[in-house]
Amino acid sequence: MVRAVLNPGRPLLREARYRLAEEPELHDSALHHSVLAAITAGNASRDGIADYLGRKSTVLAHPLHVLEDVGLIRHEPDAFRRNRSSYRIAEPLIAIYHAVMRPHRGDL
């Protein structure tokens, strides 16, 4: 991991940021990054994401749909609880970026 992804000499260190920057649908990049960070932090429901961000859950419908449409997150129904679902990061490099790289960007 350190040699392949977190090494400044390797392109993977910047790949997640480039992937997000290249998405034409991500107009409000700060909000989309915040939603991804919330999901990475374990907030998998729309209400959990909204609480984490300090926003109303209705405001998050559009950014969640956009992130799902571009393939960065998945919306999965809960197999055990009806009318419940959760969001998961679909792109492993984006998950690593938000879990490890973004919070420690200064150290890297």
Side-chain angles (χ1 to χ4, degrees):
M1 177 73 142
V2 171
R3 280 184 267 137
V5 178
L6 301 178
N7 183 340
R10 303 285 180 147
L12 282 177
L13 182 66
R14 294 172 296 283
E15 184 63 30
R17 281 188 301 169
Y18 293 155
R19 167 85 164 89
L20 292 170
E22 290 174 353
E23 285 295 340
E25 300 296 319
L26 302 182
H27 301 291
D28 187 351
S29 63
L31 177 58
H32 291 102
H33 276 286
S34 296
V35 170
L36 291 167
I39 295 170
T40 303
N43 302 287
S45 70
R46 184 184 293 189
D47 289 337
I49 296 165
D51 288 344
Y52 183 86
L53 300 178
R55 296 179 179 241
K56 293 183 179 183
S57 64
T58 55
V59 174
L60 298 178
H62 179 70
L64 287 168
H65 287 308
V66 169
L67 289 168
E68 188 174 8
D69 286 347
V70 298
L72 295 179
I73 64 172
R74 282 191 306 263
H75 188 220
E76 302 170 341
D78 190 317
F80 300 105
R81 295 181 285 182
R82 277 180 49 168
N83 300 326
R84 299 267 178 142
S85 59
S86 61
Y87 291 93
R88 302 277 182 242
I89 304 277
E91 176 67 43
L93 195 54
I94 300 297
I96 292 169
Y97 174 73
H98 277 280
V100 178
M101 300 160 93
R102 192 168 187 222
H104 304 287
R105 189 179 338 193
D107 296 335
L108 296 173

